[in-house]
């Protein structure tokens, strides 16, 4: 009888389920390892004779398998995938009714099963010899008549017959091994099965009979301890059930934050004691978290549900920060333009905010084979909708490819003197382009809104995520951690059940504990509140709580809607892509062509200036060596000037052949077109001067600036 019979702890716990808890047990005797103290998971568990234990929960951990032939034990996890067969009992059954009633599971689900009789059985004119196997097919019950068992008997040459045997038949009946198999989960969920012996059906494992016993993790509290105990049910302790006798014993009731939140409003405010603090690796980075230690006290003021916003700092910062902000935050925000690094990001943002306008922040060259258009810095685009576009290149199967693309309009820059006609003209000149969703690009949102918003208004008027900046701080906070960031991103909004709490030494400084993100156990105490009766102080609630990146990732994981990843670029057909590398014949509007031409003229220097400019980072190639004649030695390149400088310098030829004015002008043009690097210095001898008629020549003065440029070009070219 309960309360009078001592049972081993494991046997008693195995007979329980969570529906009959809590149960109060009293330790009466047992074998204690390491004295009377168990150290389990870093906490000491001390059981002495007479201790009261209040079991508040059990959880199945594993199964203990004991080999009854040698008393060896080993454990298997509850999710073990192996199968087991029931080992027939060695003791005979005295009646068929006893054998049927002790089947491992319900009779209907355990049929058919086979048994044998060690003695002859007579049924009217029919006699069944000893040792014959009978298979029970069903139970025949008729009102006013004796219950019968319908059995199948197999004879010689596969002959079979059915016989009806009364349940009250006596003799020595032995159960035969059944072909039915069970998993550990099925065995542990049936009280009848747990009382049987089993063996593995896998021949490579132990074939000897095993006794299977469940091992639970027991959660309990003791009247002399305040924290929750967790210990395995396999402790060798004998206990007695004293639940009915100890109803008035005062046990400390540990409550989780969720259970505290469900308490009636009349329970608050109250002083509570922390029985089990939060985990070391917490999701919060706030000032009050390190003070939530075991045995510390808190004042719980009230419970409720708070609307909160999750903010993140820019990714460009060295350490990215995240903040959980109450919508009661008193600062003011101004919208900031969002940045997008792909067309797919534009597509996602345009679904949430139709009519999105962006400006291109990085040039992008046209790739006709992949359908990528030409984009220039400063161009403004308005997103229209998502459509399918056909690519000029063919797939490997020779078929035309179509991809999803974003239809956008290029917005023309307004002129200074716009009028109605100019606006109509600009509307007509808007160019539509397709941006494939797989295209990489750099865009920034175009905003015309300069209004200040409260945090709760931003969530109502705009879709998230949203980039903002705090332009006026919350004056009720001593230090506003959000003020000073150049940009913050609103990642999402949430409704969180919270408990408003404070420490007894500063009861007016309150903070909100999100109970779904913080796990700890507390107990209500009878300590007085830390203020005069009926005179609560004016409370100031922290509205900004810094959280870790783990909190952010868990939040994103919960809000994951299963969106498809960005599309991949189409596969190119190499043969067609090679043949398609031709000048683009796509006709563009004249305004676009003029704009591109103007950029090219502005960015590319003139050819003459390019030839005269010899930059150290990008030098032109050296001129080819002059043709070498057979009767002349190869020319020697002039050396760079050293510390010893000779007085003789090579001068360019200053004689120019006098011809008619037309020929002279042509030679001047040719001289200007000769590259500087091909000009060589030459000194004529006296003979050369004598052979030239003075009447046919004229002297011209060469500009000294040009001489200096020529000399420097020669030296740089030789040095190169």
């Amino acid at each position: 009888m309960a309360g009078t019979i001592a049972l081993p702890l494991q046997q008693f716990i195995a007979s329980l389920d969570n529906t009959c808890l809590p149960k109060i047990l009293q330790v009466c005797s047992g074998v204690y390892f390491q004295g009377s103290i168990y150290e389990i998971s870093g906490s000491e568990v001390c059981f002495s004779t007479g201790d009261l234990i209040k079991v508040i929960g059990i959880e199945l951990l594993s199964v203990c398998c004991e080999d009854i032939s040698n008393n060896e034990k080993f454990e298997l996890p509850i999710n073990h995938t192996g199968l087991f067969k029931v080992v027939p009992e060695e003791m005979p059954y005295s009646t068929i009714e006893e054998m049927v009633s002790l089947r491992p599971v319900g009779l209907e689900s355990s049929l058919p099963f086979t048994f044998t009789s060690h003695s002859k059985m007579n049924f009217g004119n029919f006699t069944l010899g000893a040792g014959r196997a009978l298979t029970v097919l069903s139970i025949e019950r008729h009102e006013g008549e004796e219950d019968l068992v319908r059995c199948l008997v197999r004879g010689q040459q596969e002959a079979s017959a059915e016989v009806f045997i009364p349940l009250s038949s006596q003799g020595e009946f032995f159960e035969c091994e059944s072909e039915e198999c069970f998993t550990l989960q099925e065995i542990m969920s049936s009280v009848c099965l747990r009382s049987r012996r089993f063996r593995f059906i896998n021949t490579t494992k132990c074939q000897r009979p095993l006794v299977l016993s469940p091992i639970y993790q027991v959660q309990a509290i003791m009247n002399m301890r305040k924290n929750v105990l967790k210990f395995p049910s396999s402790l060798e302790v004998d206990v007695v059930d004293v639940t009915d006798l100890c109803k008035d014993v005062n046990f400390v009731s540990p409550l989780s934050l969720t259970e505290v939140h469900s308490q009636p409003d009349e329970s608050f405010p109250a002083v509570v004691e922390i029985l089990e603090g939060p985990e070391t690796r917490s999701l919060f980075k706030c000032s009050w978290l390190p003070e939530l230690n075991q045995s510390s006290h808190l004042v719980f003021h009230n419970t409720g549900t708070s609307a909160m916003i999750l903010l993140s700092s820019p990714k460009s910062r060295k350490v990215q920060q995240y903040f959980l902000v109450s919508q009661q935050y008193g600062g003011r925000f101004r919208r900031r333009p969002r940045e997008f690094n792909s067309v797919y990001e534009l597509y996602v943002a345009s679904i949430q905010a139709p009519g999105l306008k962006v400006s291109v922040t990085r040039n992008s060259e046209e790739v006709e084979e992949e359908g990528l258009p030409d984009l220039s810095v400063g161009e403004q685009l308005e997103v229209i909708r998502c459509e399918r576009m056909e690519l000029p290149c063919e797939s490997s199967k020779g078929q035309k490819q179509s991809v999803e693309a974003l239809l956008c309009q290029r917005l023309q820059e307004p002129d200074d003197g716009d009028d109605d006609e100019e606006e109509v003209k600009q509307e007509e000149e808007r160019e539509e382009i397709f941006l494939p969703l797989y295209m990489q690009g750099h865009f920034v949102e175009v905003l015309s809104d300069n209004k200040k918003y409260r945090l709760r208004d931003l969530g109502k008027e705009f879709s998230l995520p949203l980039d903002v900046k705090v332009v006026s701080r919350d004056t009720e906070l001593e230090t506003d951690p959000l003020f000073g960031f150049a940009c913050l991103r609103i990642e999402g909004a949430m409704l969180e059940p919270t408990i408003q709490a404070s420490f007894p030494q500063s009861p007016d400084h309150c903070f909100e504990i999100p109970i779904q993100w913080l796990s700890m156990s507390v107990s209500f105490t009878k300590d007085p509140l830390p203020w005069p009766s009926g005179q609560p102080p004016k409370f100031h609630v922290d509205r900004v709580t810094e959280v870790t990146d783990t909190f952010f990732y868990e939040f994103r994981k919960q809000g994951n809607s299963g969106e498809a990843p960005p599309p991949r670029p189409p596969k190119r057909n190499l043969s067609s892509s090679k043949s398609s590398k031709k000048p683009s014949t796509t006709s563009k509007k004249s305004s676009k062509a003029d704009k591109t031409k103007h950029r090219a003229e502005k960015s590319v220097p003139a050819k003459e200036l390019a030839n005269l400019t010899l930059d150290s980072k990008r030098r032109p190639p050296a001129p080819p060596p002059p043709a070498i004649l057979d009767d002349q030695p190869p020319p020697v390149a002039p050396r760079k000037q050293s510390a010893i400088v000779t007085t003789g310098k090579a001068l360019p030829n200053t004689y120019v052949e006098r011809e008619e004015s037309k020929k002279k002008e042509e030679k001047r043009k040719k001289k200007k077109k000769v590259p500087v690097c091909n000009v060589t210095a030459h000194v004529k001898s006296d003979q050369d001067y004598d052979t030239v008629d003075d009447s046919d020549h004229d002297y011209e003065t060469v500009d000294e600036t040009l001489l200096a440029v020529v000399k420097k070009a020669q030296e740089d070219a030789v040095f190169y």
Side-chain angles (χ1 to χ4, degrees):
M1 182 181 295
T4 59
I5 302 176
L7 297 174
L9 178 64
Q10 184 166 357
Q11 181 180 345
F12 181 83
I13 296 299
S15 64
L16 299 178
D17 55 47
N18 283 297
T19 59
C20 65
L21 298 180
K23 287 285 187 179
I24 301 177
L25 309 179
Q26 186 176 32
V27 178
C28 58
S29 64
V31 178
Y32 300 93
F33 298 105
Q34 300 178 1
S36 61
I37 297 177
Y38 297 92
E39 187 173 344
I40 301 170
S41 301
S43 61
E44 292 182 353
V45 180
C46 177
F47 292 145
S48 302
T49 302
D51 284 349
L52 296 178
I53 305 172
K54 188 176 183 178
V55 179
I56 58 176
I58 57 175
E59 180 184 357
L60 184 61
L61 291 181
S62 59
V63 177
C64 176
C65 303
E66 181 181 0
D67 188 343
I68 60 177
S69 63
N70 53 15
N71 295 328
E72 290 184 358
K73 295 182 179 180
F74 59 92
E75 289 189 21
L76 293 176
I78 191 60
N79 57 356
H80 179 69
T81 57
L83 298 177
F84 299 83
K85 279 187 177 182
V86 177
V87 176
E89 295 290 344
E90 297 178 357
M91 295 292 293
Y93 297 97
S94 59
T95 63
I96 294 180
E97 185 176 7
E98 179 186 3
M99 180 176 56
V100 170
S101 62
L102 294 180
R103 291 297 298 163
V105 288
L107 181 61
E108 298 300 327
S109 61
S110 66
L111 294 178
F113 72 92
T114 306
F115 70 96
T116 60
S117 174
H118 277 202
S119 58
K120 291 183 180 180
M121 300 181 66
N122 297 318
F123 309 103
N125 297 328
F126 181 76
T127 301
L128 186 64
R132 298 293 297 273
L134 295 93
T135 302
V136 179
L137 301 179
S138 64
I139 307 296
E140 303 292 333
R141 291 185 172 90
H142 301 283
E143 188 175 354
E145 298 181 5
E146 186 179 6
D147 294 340
L148 303 175
V149 179
R150 185 169 65 93
C151 301
L152 180 68
V153 181
R154 294 192 180 276
Q156 298 178 351
Q157 298 179 355
E158 298 300 326
S160 61
E162 289 188 2
V163 295
F164 290 87
I165 305 174
L167 283 176
S168 59
S169 300
Q170 297 183 354
E172 290 186 358
F173 305 104
F174 291 86
E175 182 183 8
C176 298
E177 185 177 74
S178 173
E179 295 299 324
E180 191 173 6
C181 301
F182 303 93
T183 64
L184 280 182
Q185 289 278 9
E186 293 172 338
I187 296 172
M188 292 298 107
S189 60
S190 171
V191 178
C192 294
L193 279 177
R194 277 186 288 182
S195 64
R196 302 300 301 269
R197 296 176 301 163
F198 295 86
R199 67 173 180 85
F200 286 103
I201 64 171
N202 189 346
T203 56
T204 61
K205 293 186 178 180
C206 176
Q207 291 297 302
R208 294 186 292 272
L210 302 173
V211 175
L212 307 182
S213 304
I215 298 178
Y216 293 89
Q217 177 174 267
V218 182
Q219 299 181 20
I221 54 178
M222 300 179 67
N223 60 336
M224 300 301 293
R225 297 176 68 101
K226 295 181 179 180
N227 57 324
V228 178
L229 304 179
K230 295 181 180 179
F231 53 89
S233 61
S234 57
L235 295 182
E236 297 185 19
V237 177
D238 291 342
V239 295
V240 176
D241 185 359
V242 292
T243 305
D244 297 333
L245 302 176
C246 300
K247 291 182 178 179
D248 299 331
V249 177
N250 184 22
F251 286 87
V252 174
S253 300
L255 301 174
S256 65
L257 294 182
T258 304
E259 293 171 334
V260 172
H261 193 271
S262 62
Q263 297 295 315
D265 295 339
E266 295 78 18
S267 304
F268 305 98
V271 179
V272 300
E273 182 181 356
I274 300 177
L275 302 180
E276 196 172 334
E279 298 178 357
T280 306
R281 187 170 178 263
S282 176
L283 302 176
F284 297 86
K285 295 172 63 176
C286 45
S287 59
W288 46 265
L289 181 66
E291 300 185 41
L292 301 182
N293 300 318
Q294 187 175 354
S295 302
S296 300
H297 287 74
L298 287 173
V299 180
F300 281 176
H301 298 274
N302 55 62
T303 60
T305 302
S306 300
M308 295 186 173
I309 300 294
L310 183 61
L311 298 177
S312 65
S313 64
K315 295 182 179 179
S316 57
R317 292 175 62 91
K318 186 175 181 180
V319 178
Q320 193 172 9
Q321 295 176 271
Y322 305 92
F323 301 94
L324 197 60
V325 185
S326 170
Q327 285 195 357
Q328 302 302 320
Y329 175 79
R332 297 293 189 276
F333 294 85
R334 186 171 285 152
R335 293 183 61 196
R336 294 279 296 171
R338 290 173 290 176
E339 296 182 1
F340 308 98
N341 295 321
S342 67
V343 177
Y344 183 76
E345 293 181 13
L346 279 183
Y347 165 67
V348 175
S350 65
I351 294 177
Q352 300 171 347
L356 178 66
K357 296 181 181 179
V358 295
S359 177
V360 181
T361 59
R362 189 176 297 181
N363 292 333
S364 178
E365 296 182 358
E366 180 181 9
V367 182
E368 185 179 2
E369 293 84 357
E370 297 183 4
L372 305 181
D374 176 37
L375 297 178
S376 303
V377 174
E379 287 184 338
Q380 292 191 6
L381 306 175
E382 180 179 359
V383 179
I384 306 301
R385 59 182 175 272
C386 183
E387 294 184 357
R388 294 197 71 86
M389 64 173 291
E390 193 173 272
L391 298 179
C393 64
E394 296 180 351
S395 64
S396 57
K397 298 181 180 180
Q399 300 176 353
K400 286 289 186 180
Q401 298 186 83
S402 63
V403 296
E404 289 186 336
L406 211 57
L407 176 62
C408 302
Q409 283 187 343
R410 296 185 196 262
L411 302 180
Q412 302 293 332
E413 297 180 0
D415 296 336
D416 295 337
D418 324 29
D419 50 10
D420 296 340
E421 295 181 0
E422 189 67 25
E423 291 180 1
V424 173
K425 183 178 179 181
Q426 289 181 5
E427 288 291 335
E428 293 177 354
E429 291 180 352
R430 284 189 175 184
E431 179 186 0
E432 291 186 348
I433 61 173
F434 284 96
L435 305 179
L437 294 189
Y438 55 78
M439 177 181 176
Q440 297 296 317
H442 298 271
F443 313 91
V444 64
E445 188 177 10
V446 177
L447 295 178
S448 58
D449 181 15
N450 203 27
K451 182 181 175 182
K452 294 181 180 179
Y453 295 91
R454 290 180 178 272
L455 185 59
R456 58 175 175 266
D457 297 332
L458 284 171
K460 296 177 182 178
E461 299 187 25
F462 305 100
S463 58
L464 304 181
L466 188 68
D467 288 355
V468 295
K469 179 184 179 181
V470 179
V471 293
S472 60
R473 60 183 295 273
D474 189 343
T475 56
E476 295 186 8
L477 300 179
E478 294 182 5
T479 56
D480 189 345
L482 303 182
F483 188 72
F485 283 97
C487 181
L488 291 169
R489 169 158 291 193
I490 301 178
E491 300 287 354
M494 63 190 84
L495 284 174
E496 286 295 326
T498 58
I499 299 175
Q500 184 174 316
S502 66
F503 293 102
Q505 59 270 24
S506 54
D508 58 332
H509 187 187
C510 300
F511 51 89
E512 291 181 323
I513 303 177
I515 64 173
Q516 295 183 352
W517 300 91
L518 196 68
S519 175
M520 66 179 187
S521 63
V522 300
S523 66
F524 283 87
T525 68
K526 296 182 180 180
D527 296 349
L529 297 172
W531 58 75
S533 179
Q535 300 178 11
K538 184 179 179 181
F539 302 115
H540 301 278
V541 184
D542 285 346
R543 293 170 180 158
V544 181
T545 303
E546 186 175 357
V547 297
T548 63
D549 54 352
T550 307
F551 183 99
F552 172 71
Y553 298 141
E554 291 295 328
F555 171 78
R556 292 290 297 269
K557 191 186 301 182
Q558 290 184 3
N560 186 14
S561 58
E563 295 180 355
R568 299 176 63 182
K571 294 183 179 180
R572 293 188 186 182
N573 187 354
L574 298 179
S575 59
S576 62
S577 62
K578 289 180 181 179
S579 61
S580 62
K581 289 184 179 179
K582 298 177 181 179
S584 174
T585 58
T586 306
S587 61
K588 298 184 178 179
K589 295 186 179 294
S590 59
S591 59
K592 175 67 178 177
D594 295 340
K595 186 176 179 181
T596 306
K597 181 179 179 182
H598 177 69
R599 286 201 308 266
E601 292 175 354
K602 188 176 180 180
S603 59
V604 179
K607 182 176 181 181
E608 291 82 358
L609 293 177
N611 289 333
L612 289 175
T613 303
L614 297 174
D615 188 33
S616 60
K617 294 183 179 178
R618 185 177 180 182
R619 300 177 183 273
I628 301 175
L629 302 177
D630 295 338
D631 57 347
Q632 293 183 0
V636 179
R639 298 180 179 178
K640 292 186 67 176
Q641 293 182 0
S642 59
I644 303 174
V645 182
T646 58
T647 57
K649 295 183 179 179
L651 298 176
N653 189 2
T654 58
Y655 288 94
V656 180
E657 183 180 358
R658 180 186 294 275
E659 294 181 357
E660 290 80 11
S661 59
K662 184 176 180 181
K663 293 182 178 180
K664 183 178 179 181
E665 188 67 19
E666 290 177 358
K667 287 205 170 195
R668 284 182 180 177
K669 293 180 180 179
K670 290 181 179 180
K671 183 177 181 181
K672 290 183 179 180
K673 292 183 180 180
V674 173
V676 175
C677 294
N678 292 335
V679 178
T680 57
H682 179 67
V683 179
K684 284 186 176 290
S685 62
D686 295 337
Q687 281 184 333
D688 296 332
Y689 291 118
D690 295 337
T691 56
V692 180
D693 188 2
D694 292 341
S695 62
D696 297 333
H697 294 80
D698 192 8
Y699 294 97
E700 289 187 0
T701 304
V702 181
D703 191 1
E704 293 181 2
T705 304
L706 180 59
L707 290 177
V709 172
V710 170
K711 180 181 177 184
K712 186 176 186 304
Q714 287 177 330
E715 294 176 353
D716 291 345
V718 172
F719 176 72
Y720 175 79

